[in-house]
């Protein structure tokens, strides 16, 4: 990492020139991995009794791609996936990339309203879904969204509520609503595309993935990413962790997020490391058992995950001596926690990453030999081929050490928001992705995140945008208006708090509103505290004064 000499004294830095930006497509990199590492472990999911080599992973990927093609899906069609972590998720990710289909990653915590929005915005033509998980009945939600698409038989689905959706593919079976079982696609003999047995011609800069990220206008936007976006980030992160074919990476973070599918699956694809999934969702006990049994050398997580592992009753009795590296991201790690991760978990080379979905996701990362200050007070320096700057409100570089908006550009910057050109133009200007985060840069090019321009809440590594929750609360029959903001939480960093004004003559208790939210919106977005008020505090310019609200809520100390 070097400061750009043309911007000496100003907050502008450029990442290293190596490793090179990967050329080609995800499918080509899968072929390369199968040829180089054929019999080595590629994907391990103990709870599914799955242990596939790279050659076996390619074989199953190609089988699924033939199944997708047999349904008439072709380059550019969107295929959604709504499922917790599983081997089928990885196969879907790689098979869609093989065919040039656009994988639409859907948060499995979504409820009916959010799922419908994602399917409609992306124009999803086929969806791969789990039957259910925990309190979520995915097949039931799809049936609710498509009341006119009933009956059995192989004919494509149709419902005017979701006019683009034609195929629902259920992992583990096939119900009347799902119609197609995932395993049946693996046995299909359909042509890859238009009668050809091989994959279609693809290029590195075409869209391959849509990741939903909430925006300040409320509804989630679809960040659209290419082969090059994802492969560059994966190869850079792998180099940053010093990961190679002898490594085994434990991946408890969700696959629907870039952390899992890029910094997990594709990091292993580009380095030859084995991807190891300890369970369908995060469980600290499963992580401990899996790291020990599989001799994992790497571990990913947000700080709350690492804390849960460190504080688990079985921690002291578990052999973690194989661990060495990984990525912690989503929030800064306190110095005491980082010291425990290094000393007690043997994560001597643990790296800190920062970025956003729109940059695929990393734009900065610490080095494995970074000191404690760098790993706890900064998010590192620019990753290879990325450029960063900190600017004032007029777009000018600010001096080193001065707060301003952090912006980045490079091979990982998204193609844009799906079907939202105005939102894209507002976010990307002259190639620079505007983060909305306030940051400083020091003379070593290290970035410190000091605040947020956007009023975003980060709860346990999950980004929550108040406008989205406010719009949802406004659909409650008794709510006239809502103001949502973050309050401190010892366990998750922040929690969601909402102040609501009720409609005239309406009566509702705070507990009733919180209960109403549950099951209708993702659990991490449900307010941990609701206050019913007659009016909101306002600034002199007539804007809702959320800082005043936050002060009222935190006077009694942290919540959790």
């Amino acid at each position: 990492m070097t400061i750009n000499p043309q911007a000496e004294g100003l907050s502008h830095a450029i990442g290293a020139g190596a490793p090179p930006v990967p050329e080609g497509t995800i499918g080509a990199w899968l072929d390369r991995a199968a040829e180089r590492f054929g019999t080595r472990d590629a994907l391990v999911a103990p709870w599914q009794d799955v242990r596939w080599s790279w050659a076996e992973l390619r074989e199953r990927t190609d089988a699924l791609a033939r199944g997708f093609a047999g349904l008439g899906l072709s380059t550019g069609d969107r295929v959604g996936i709504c499922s917790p972590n599983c081997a089928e998720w990885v196969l879907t990710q790689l098979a869609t990339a093989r065919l040039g289909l656009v994988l639409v990653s859907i948060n499995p915590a979504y409820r009916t309203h959010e799922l419908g929005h994602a399917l409609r915005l992306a124009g999803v033509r086929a969806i791969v879904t789990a039957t259910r998980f925990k309190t979520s009945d995915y097949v039931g939600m799809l049936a609710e969204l498509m009341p006119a698409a009933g009956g059995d038989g192989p004919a494509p689905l149709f419902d005017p509520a979701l006019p683009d959706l034609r195929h629902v593919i259920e992992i583990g079976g096939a119900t009347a609503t799902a119609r197609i079982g995932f395993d049946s696609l693996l046995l299909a003999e359909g042509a890859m595309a238009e009668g050809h047995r091989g994959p279609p011609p693809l290029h590195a800069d075409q869209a391959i993935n849509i990741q939903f990220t909430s925006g300040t206008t409320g509804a989630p936007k679809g960040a659209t990413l290419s082969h090059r976006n994802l492969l560059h980030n994966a190869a850079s992160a792998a180099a940053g962790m010093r990961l190679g074919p002898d490594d085994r990476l434990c991946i408890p973070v969700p696959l629907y997020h870039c952390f899992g599918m890029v910094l997990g699956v594709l990091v292993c694809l580009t380095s030859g490391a084995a991807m190891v999934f300890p369970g369908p969702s995060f469980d600290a006990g499963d992580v401990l058992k899996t790291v020990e049994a599989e001799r994992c050398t790497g571990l990913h997580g947000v700080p709350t995950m690492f804390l849960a592992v460190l504080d688990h009753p079985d921690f002291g009795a578990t052999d973690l001596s194989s661990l060495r590296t990984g990525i912690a991201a989503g929030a800064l790690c306190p110095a005491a926690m980082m010291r425990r991760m290094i000393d007690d978990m043997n994560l001597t080379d643990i790296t800190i990453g920062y970025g956003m979905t729109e940059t695929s996701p990393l734009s900065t990362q610490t080095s494995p030999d970074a000191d404690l200050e760098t790993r706890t007070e900064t998010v590192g320096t620019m990753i290879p081929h990325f450029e960063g700057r900190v600017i004032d409100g007029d777009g000018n570089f600010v001096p080193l050490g001065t707060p301003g908006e952090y912006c980045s550009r490079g091979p990982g910057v998204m193609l844009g928001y799906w079907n939202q050109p105005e939102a894209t133009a507002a976010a990307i200007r002259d190639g620079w992705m505007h983060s909305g985060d306030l940051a400083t840069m020091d003379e070593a090019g290290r970035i410190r995140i000091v605040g947020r321009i956007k009023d975003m809440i980060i709860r346990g590594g999950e980004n929550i945008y108040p406008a989205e929750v406010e719009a949802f609360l406004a659909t409650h029959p008794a709510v006239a208006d809502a103001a949502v903001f973050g309050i401190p939480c010892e366990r998750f960093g922040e929690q969601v708090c909402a102040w609501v004004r009720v409609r005239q003559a309406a009566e509702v208790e705070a507990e009733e509103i919180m209960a109403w939210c549950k099951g209708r919106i993702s659990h991490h977005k449900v307010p941990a505290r609701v206050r019913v008020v007659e009016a909101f505090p306002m600034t002199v310019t007539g804007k809702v004064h959320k800082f005043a609200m936050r002060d009222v809520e935190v006077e009694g100390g942290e919540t959790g």
Side-chain angles (χ1 to χ4, degrees):
M1 160 61 63
T2 56
I3 300 295
N4 186 339
Q6 295 180 335
E8 190 172 354
L10 298 178
S11 299
H12 183 202
I14 300 175
V21 178
E23 296 295 332
T25 65
I26 291 171
W29 278 82
L30 176 59
D31 288 336
R32 184 178 305 182
E35 290 158 9
R36 291 183 62 194
F37 314 118
T39 59
R40 287 177 174 263
D41 280 351
L43 193 159
V44 178
W47 87 100
Q48 290 187 290
D49 197 26
V50 166
R51 187 176 301 274
W52 298 336
S53 69
W54 284 104
E56 290 169 328
L57 180 61
R58 177 171 64 171
E59 179 182 352
R60 286 173 168 82
T61 295
D62 286 347
L64 182 58
R66 287 193 296 272
F68 283 145
L71 295 178
L73 299 172
S74 58
T75 303
D77 284 343
R78 273 77 66 203
V79 175
I81 182 164
C82 185
S83 168
N85 288 6
C86 58
E88 292 87 350
W89 213 111
V90 177
L91 288 179
T92 302
Q93 176 186 352
L94 298 176
T96 51
R98 178 71 103 187
L99 277 182
L101 305 174
V102 181
L103 181 69
V104 181
S105 307
I106 298 171
N107 186 337
Y110 275 3
R111 299 297 182 174
T112 307
H113 172 78
E114 299 155 309
L115 177 60
H117 169 78
L119 296 176
R120 282 187 287 269
L121 177 64
V124 168
R125 186 171 178 82
I127 182 169
V128 175
T129 179
T131 305
R132 61 179 56 84
F133 184 68
K134 294 184 177 179
T135 61
S136 296
D137 178 358
Y138 305 118
V139 171
M141 285 192 283
L142 287 166
E144 184 180 341
L145 287 168
M146 301 184 295
D152 298 311
L157 297 170
F158 177 76
D159 190 294
L162 292 172
D164 297 299
L165 187 59
R166 291 294 183 272
H167 306 287
V168 177
I169 302 152
E170 186 179 352
I171 296 171
T175 66
T177 301
R179 296 180 178 245
I180 304 170
F182 187 92
D183 288 348
S184 69
L185 288 189
L186 291 173
L187 302 174
E189 290 298 331
M192 278 288 192
E194 300 179 1
H196 297 290
R197 299 301 296 177
L202 306 174
H203 60 87
D205 292 315
Q206 71 185 78
I208 200 65
N209 181 224
I210 294 174
Q211 295 262 340
F212 285 101
T213 177
S214 296
T216 53
T217 56
K221 301 187 293 291
T224 307
L225 308 172
S226 69
H227 292 273
R228 191 185 308 278
N229 289 156
L230 303 182
L231 287 169
H232 162 262
N233 220 273
S236 296
M241 289 188 287
R242 299 172 182 166
L243 212 65
D246 293 330
D247 283 301
R248 302 173 69 79
L249 180 62
C250 184
I251 308 170
V253 293
L255 282 167
Y256 77 84
H257 192 278
C258 274
F259 202 167
M261 71 167 290
V262 181
L263 303 182
V265 174
L266 297 184
V267 153
C268 292
L269 180 71
T270 55
S271 66
M275 58 188 93
V276 181
F277 296 96
S281 63
F282 173 74
D283 179 273
D286 288 342
V287 169
L288 286 169
K289 287 187 293 186
T290 304
V291 168
E292 181 178 64
E294 296 295 333
R295 307 304 296 158
C296 293
T297 59
L299 175 63
H300 283 349
V302 299
T304 52
M305 290 180 177
F306 285 106
L307 182 61
V309 171
L310 285 162
D311 290 343
H312 192 275
D314 295 338
F315 178 78
T318 305
D319 180 4
L320 304 179
S321 60
S322 60
L323 284 176
R324 175 183 59 82
T325 189
I327 296 175
L332 291 177
C333 284
M337 185 193 301
M338 179 59 70
R339 176 52 64 194
R340 291 179 68 192
M341 290 163 61
I342 295 171
D343 293 344
D344 300 340
M345 296 184 72
N346 204 44
L347 289 167
T348 55
D349 291 352
I350 189 73
T351 68
I352 302 298
Y354 164 83
M356 54 198 305
T357 303
E358 291 89 339
T359 56
S360 305
L362 294 185
S363 59
T364 72
Q365 186 179 15
T366 61
S367 66
D369 52 4
D371 58 29
L372 194 63
E373 177 195 356
T374 298
R375 296 197 228 193
T376 58
E377 296 183 14
T378 84
V379 291
T381 56
M382 306 311 300
I383 66 171
H385 307 285
F386 246 84
E387 185 178 2
R389 65 180 185 177
V390 182
I391 59 173
D392 60 23
D394 296 322
N396 301 311
F397 295 121
V398 299
L400 293 172
T402 303
E405 183 181 15
Y406 171 75
C407 304
S408 61
R409 69 180 178 186
V413 173
M414 66 174 181
L415 302 178
Y417 293 118
W418 187 267
N419 281 343
Q420 292 181 290
E422 292 182 2
T424 301
I428 305 175
R429 300 168 227 166
D430 296 325
W432 290 95
M433 183 69 216
H434 288 245
S435 71
D437 285 338
L438 291 168
T440 63
M441 182 185 293
D442 65 19
E443 63 280 355
R446 299 181 302 180
I447 300 293
R448 286 174 168 83
I449 304 298
V450 298
R452 294 189 294 276
I453 297 173
K454 303 171 184 176
D455 193 15
M456 184 175 68
I457 302 164
I458 302 181
R459 178 190 181 276
E462 290 277 0
N463 293 348
I464 303 168
Y465 291 82
E468 181 184 358
V469 183
E470 289 164 354
F472 170 75
L473 289 171
T475 66
H476 188 288
V479 174
D481 198 5
V484 172
F485 50 93
I487 54 177
C489 171
E490 184 174 331
R491 181 179 178 190
F492 295 108
E494 286 183 296
Q495 279 278 29
V496 179
C497 182
W499 283 25
V500 299
R501 292 190 304 107
V502 298
R503 299 184 185 277
Q504 252 184 342
E507 290 186 5
V508 66
E509 297 293 330
E511 291 76 13
E512 293 176 59
I513 293 175
M514 287 190 286
W516 176 82
C517 291
K518 292 176 181 177
R520 288 185 168 90
I521 196 167
S522 302
H523 68 90
H524 60 278
K525 300 176 188 175
V526 174
R529 185 183 296 177
V530 171
R531 186 184 292 261
V532 179
V533 297
E534 293 183 359
F536 298 147
M538 308 295 284
T539 67
V540 293
T541 58
K543 295 181 179 180
V544 175
H545 198 340
K546 290 186 178 180
F547 287 110
M549 300 179 191
R550 187 178 291 109
D551 289 342
V552 170
E553 294 295 338
V554 300
E555 275 180 0
E558 290 197 343
T559 65

